Amino acid sequence: GAGVSQSPSNKVTEKGKDVELRCDPISGHTALYWYRQSLGQGLEFLIYFQGNSAPDKSGLPSDRFSAERTGGSVSTLTIQRTQQEDSAVYLCASSLALAGSGSRQYFGPGTRLTVT
Amino acid sequence: DQQVKQNSPSLSVQEGRISILNCDYTNSMFDYFLWYKKYPAEGPTFLISISSIKDKNEDGRFTVFLNKSAKHLSLHIVPSQPGDSAVYFCAASVSAGGGSNYKLTFGKGTLLTVNP
């Protein structure tokens, strides 16, 4: 079946503008994650959704970042008033959340965000 | 502070030889470890994982070793092939029993180049 998809694949925006990044997880996956990878860095956890539970927002770097997951499927990551340090590849992953052990996460291709 | 460290940013090996990628962690709560492989312009893909109740897991040419007392894991690829050339990320999670919070903490990655 289809993997995780993300759109757009590339986004260039001016500093101060808002951007929305979209993620379509694998059908049936109840867990959804957003990560970002800045230049020369590893993947940094941003936010996690699991079913109808309150999301784990512990990784969001500032209150300019927010995310929604509608109907337990598609997720949108919104960055308000973008700054140059927001430039990164934003990766979405989904998984079957299995109790008792870490669950394999499937990643999308990412959205490369460039703030000029 | 980095909880998962990959101290070698790059590694170069000859085709047919063994590749050994290393990873250290500092958080003793981590109990599930994964290796992901990433090609340019693609999302990371899952390679192999190991639970903290084991010290070795093998899948074809890939073997992961875990030394809990040293908080160290390694990925062995034997024999290495040119198609293995990619960035390899080590990741760790706290499975939290049935809490199902599986956010991954990643290292910065090691670029493996396998020369023909």
Side-chain angles (χ1 to χ4, degrees):
Chain A
V4 177
S5 61
Q6 292 186 245
S7 60
S9 55
N10 279 285
K11 176 73 177 178
V12 180
T13 190
E14 290 181 356
K15 177 181 172 182
K17 296 285 179 71
D18 298 352
V19 295
E20 282 190 355
L21 312 179
R22 178 187 167 103
C23 172
D24 282 274
I26 293 173
S27 177
H29 280 192
T30 57
L32 186 147
Y33 308 76
W34 283 97
Y35 295 86
R36 74 175 175 182
Q37 185 180 15
S38 303
L39 190 64
Q41 301 297 314
L43 281 73
E44 172 192 4
F45 168 79
L46 297 177
I47 189 169
Y48 159 76
F49 295 91
Q50 166 54 26
N52 295 321
S53 303
D56 177 351
K57 304 179 182 181
S58 60
L60 294 179
S62 79
D63 59 8
R64 294 186 296 105
F65 287 72
S66 63
E68 291 184 337
R69 188 177 185 194
T70 53
S73 181
V74 170
S75 177
T76 303
L77 177 69
T78 301
I79 309 172
Q80 296 178 309
R81 304 180 304 280
T82 51
Q83 303 294 313
Q84 288 185 328
E85 62 262 27
D86 299 335
S87 297
V89 176
Y90 289 80
L91 289 153
C92 174
S94 70
S95 72
L96 291 166
L98 300 173
S101 67
S103 182
R104 183 184 309 184
Q105 295 178 20
Y106 296 82
F107 283 82
T111 294
R112 180 174 295 279
L113 174 67
T114 304
V115 182
T116 60
Chain B
D1 64 331
Q2 274 226 292
Q3 297 188 60
V4 177
K5 299 177 185 178
Q6 294 177 256
N7 292 319
S8 297
S10 63
L11 174 67
S12 182
V13 299
Q14 281 302 118
E15 181 177 6
R17 307 295 286 268
I18 184 171
S19 295
I20 300 176
L21 298 120
N22 293 302
C23 177
D24 297 289
Y25 61 96
T26 57
N27 187 345
S28 57
M29 297 297 290
F30 287 144
D31 59 1
Y32 195 72
F33 305 89
L34 308 91
W35 285 93
Y36 280 82
K37 175 178 175 180
K38 186 180 184 301
Y39 293 116
E42 295 183 10
T45 54
F46 171 81
L47 196 57
I48 193 169
S49 63
I50 188 166
S51 164
S52 59
I53 62 173
K54 296 186 176 181
D55 54 18
K56 177 182 175 182
N57 189 26
E58 194 170 351
D59 183 1
R61 297 185 297 113
F62 302 92
T63 304
V64 55
F65 295 92
L66 175 63
N67 182 335
K68 282 180 293 185
S69 60
K71 294 192 178 70
H72 176 84
L73 64 155
S74 60
L75 174 68
H76 292 210
I77 307 173
V78 182
S80 302
Q81 300 173 354
D84 296 331
S85 297
V87 176
Y88 288 78
F89 289 99
C90 170
S93 73
V94 178
S95 60
S100 67
N101 185 344
Y102 302 119
K103 64 184 178 185
L104 296 175
T105 301
F106 283 86
K108 292 186 178 183
T110 297
L111 173 63
L112 173 66
T113 303
V114 180
N115 301 303

